[in-house]
Amino acid sequence: GDSVTQMEGPVTLSEEAFLTINCTYTATGYPSLFWYVQYPGEGLQLLLKATKADDKGSNKGFEATYRKETTSFHLEKGSVQVSDSAVYFCALRGANSKLTFGKGITLSVRP
Amino acid sequence: NAGVTQTPKFRILKIGQSMTLQCTQDMNHNYMYWYRQDPGMGLKLIYYSVGAGITDKGEVPNGYNVSRSTTEDFPLRLELAAPSQTSVYFCASTDGGRPPDTQYFGPGTRLTVL
């Protein structure tokens, strides 16, 4: 079945540091890939998405590129801010149209 | 525009009690979903619905029931609460595009079963 693997957390960075959060997936066919973010006390909200190979999703300074050859969708940001502190989930939508989530990773950014 | 709303925000139940978690969306979305979020485990799909009158099981349906009498509402019922159902529950909805696109999540209900 479909699965998403995220790097182990938590991650703690200083403000303006570079961020990479790894995500790899297993799926049949051609899934769509997503990053969702969950701020403290809130529900999940879509951060960015990519629907086909080599697509790059971007939003709020975050980027992720759909790499079919490595089955990856790593999230990056060049300079994190304290306000980026949240839990980040990688997810895929497979052939059955349901979302499969990774376990999530907590990011804390220090001033 | 309220989006997806859930009530209550918090609830403590005793073992064996029952309750209904409410979910309403005002975006006229056909698809609605219930997830549970356990610490360090991501989100697991409990039930989903592709339209009024149509529901189906997700990955972890045992101990839960749902109904979908209207497009807007998708309540989740726990009949005999058990400690294993202690979790945060999220409702989500999406439009009926092919395939269904971005899911919009409610703020969640934190349930504790003692």
Side-chain angles (χ1 to χ4, degrees):
Chain A
D2 297 345
S3 67
V4 175
T5 302
Q6 292 185 233
M7 60 183 277
E8 294 288 326
V11 173
T12 301
L13 296 173
S14 297
E15 204 165 25
E16 299 183 3
F18 183 84
L19 169 71
T20 298
I21 301 177
N22 290 342
C23 171
T24 57
Y25 67 90
T26 301
T28 55
Y30 303 94
S32 295
L33 302 174
F34 304 82
W35 276 101
Y36 279 84
V37 59
Q38 183 180 29
Y39 297 105
E42 299 183 10
L44 281 70
Q45 50 186 279
L46 180 69
L47 180 60
L48 53 85
K49 65 180 180 181
T51 57
K52 61 183 186 297
D54 300 325
D55 269 2
K56 177 185 284 187
S58 61
N59 186 28
K60 300 182 180 180
F62 290 89
E63 293 183 338
T65 300
Y66 189 145
R67 302 287 188 198
K68 188 167 176 61
E69 64 277 12
T70 55
T71 60
S72 64
F73 193 54
H74 304 324
L75 183 68
E76 295 182 337
K77 186 174 185 181
S79 176
V80 294
Q81 306 300 313
V82 172
S83 57
D84 294 326
S85 298
V87 182
Y88 292 81
F89 292 92
C90 186
L92 70 82
R93 185 185 61 227
N96 60 11
S97 293
K98 299 186 188 66
L99 282 181
T100 298
F101 288 88
K103 292 184 177 181
I105 186 169
T106 300
L107 170 66
S108 298
V109 180
R110 299 182 300 230
Chain B
N1 193 344
V4 180
T5 58
Q6 293 182 238
T7 56
K9 289 189 186 300
F10 304 94
R11 183 72 185 270
I12 298 175
L13 285 181
K14 294 182 180 179
I15 294 172
Q17 287 186 319
S18 61
M19 76 164 294
T20 299
L21 283 66
Q22 301 292 345
C23 174
T24 300
Q25 54 91 9
D26 62 359
M27 297 174 282
N28 201 33
H29 285 168
N30 288 324
Y31 291 71
M32 296 187 74
Y33 308 83
W34 274 106
Y35 296 91
R36 59 178 286 171
Q37 182 184 26
D38 299 319
M41 295 301 293
L43 276 73
K44 301 291 185 183
L45 182 64
I46 305 171
Y47 269 96
Y48 68 101
S49 170
V50 301
I54 306 170
T55 62
D56 207 349
K57 296 177 181 178
E59 187 179 358
V60 289
N62 291 344
Y64 307 94
N65 278 300
V66 294
S67 59
R68 184 93 182 273
S69 57
T70 67
T71 298
E72 295 79 16
D73 300 308
F74 189 42
L76 178 72
R77 179 84 177 162
L78 283 71
E79 290 294 351
L80 291 170
S84 61
Q85 293 178 304
T86 294
S87 189
V88 181
Y89 292 84
F90 289 101
C91 179
S93 72
T94 186
D95 64 19
R98 294 291 181 268
D101 201 38
T102 304
Q103 291 192 14
Y104 296 86
F105 285 79
T109 294
R110 184 176 295 276
L111 175 67
T112 302
V113 182
L114 300 174

